[in-house]
Each structure stands twice: as C-alpha cells, then as structure tokens.
Amino acid sequence: VQGSRGAVSVRATTISELRTWDTFVTEGSRSSALRLRSEQRDPALPARTVERFDQFHDGVKIWGADIVRDSEQGVPHSIFGQLSPALTLSVEPSLIASAAREALLLVGGTESLLLTEPELVILRLDDGDHRLTYTAVVSVSYTHLKLPTTYPV
C-alpha cells in the first residue's frame, strides 16, 4: 500500500475491488507483510470463512493496521480494514525490552503489575507519522489515586 502518510481505508465489495484486494491479501500473507491472526467459520453459514490479518513492517506488527477477508468457499464477498502505507521506519529499538518493562511499571505506580510482556510495535499517530513503541497490559492499583469526591454533572 502506498500513498498518504495516514491510514488507508479498505472497503472492497465490487468484483473489481475484491479481485484487487484479494490479490493484495494473498501476496501480503505470502510475504509476511500480512499475518493471519484468526480464521473463523460462520456457524450459520458453514461455507463462510472470516480471516483477520495483522499488518507487519520488517517483522514488527503495526498496531491497529489490519484487514478482514470474508469468503465463501474461497471466493471473497468483502474485504475491509485499515492499513498503513509503505513505511521506511527503522525497527531497531533504542530501548531494550527490559527497560520498557521498567518504564511501563513506573508509569503504573508502585503496586502495578505487568500482565503481558512488552511487545515492540509500530504505532500510527494521529498526524499520520509512525513510531516504534512498546505495548503491554499493566494492572494499576487505584488505592493510591486521589479521585475527586464529587463529580461534575
């Protein structure tokens, strides 16, 4: 995908669009630019399959960039999602995973726990730029937070 710096929206439903995007998804999955996250059969329509692919750049997942292919017996009926354009971003982090772990725990506070290990990802910013970052699930204790006693209505 090339073009603007921001997200590329995909909503393919016509035969021509479906052929183009089906080729894109197939080639992307062969090159590992797209990786299958899940494949499910519709219980009501057993011939129907929904595949969800995450987009990767140089082996690093692009957070929020994914595409869905809905097919019946191998024939796509719809393909939709949001992808990032071609990137030139380096995937060499300046922060190692153990330092990212410490930083995430520091942000969470003294009683925070890391529920998942830090994962290196590429994040698309609102202005269309992309940044290398870490993501993890952090459990935070709210006992030390000072919350207002009244809430504005």
Side-chain angles (χ1 to χ4, degrees):
V1 177
Q2 296 183 8
S4 69
R5 292 174 15 162
V8 176
S9 292
V10 178
R11 290 183 190 89
T13 55
T14 68
I15 292 173
S16 174
E17 293 169 338
L18 287 168
R19 283 185 184 142
T20 299
W21 285 103
D22 185 49
T23 300
F24 176 87
V25 171
T26 300
E27 289 175 358
S29 65
R30 287 181 183 152
S31 71
S32 294
L34 296 174
R35 295 187 189 166
L36 186 64
R37 177 179 19 147
S38 70
E39 181 176 359
Q40 297 177 322
R41 295 215 178 265
D42 187 332
L45 302 166
R48 200 83 177 236
T49 304
V50 177
E51 300 167 290
R52 297 178 188 281
F53 296 86
D54 289 321
Q55 185 182 14
F56 284 74
H57 167 70
D58 289 343
V60 177
K61 182 167 71 172
I62 303 172
W63 187 265
D66 62 355
I67 195 160
V68 177
R69 178 169 55 187
D70 181 7
S71 304
E72 187 169 344
Q73 296 181 338
V75 178
H77 284 260
S78 67
I79 299 174
F80 57 92
Q82 282 204 356
L83 298 171
S84 287
L87 300 176
T88 57
L89 182 70
S90 169
V91 295
E92 289 297 320
S94 59
L95 188 66
I96 59 173
S98 60
R101 176 183 241 288
E102 291 175 23
L104 288 163
L105 287 170
L106 184 63
V107 169
T110 56
E111 294 183 29
S112 64
L113 298 170
L114 221 52
L115 301 180
T116 62
E117 287 302 312
E119 177 187 5
L120 185 65
V121 298
I122 297 169
L123 179 66
R124 182 179 49 239
L125 304 176
D126 289 340
D127 67 2
D129 281 343
H130 290 76
R131 296 284 186 264
L132 201 57
T133 189
Y134 284 94
T135 184
V137 177
V138 181
S139 173
V140 179
S141 170
Y142 290 100
T143 58
H144 299 296
L145 294 177
K146 293 183 180 181
L147 299 175
T149 54
T150 60
Y151 297 92
V153 179

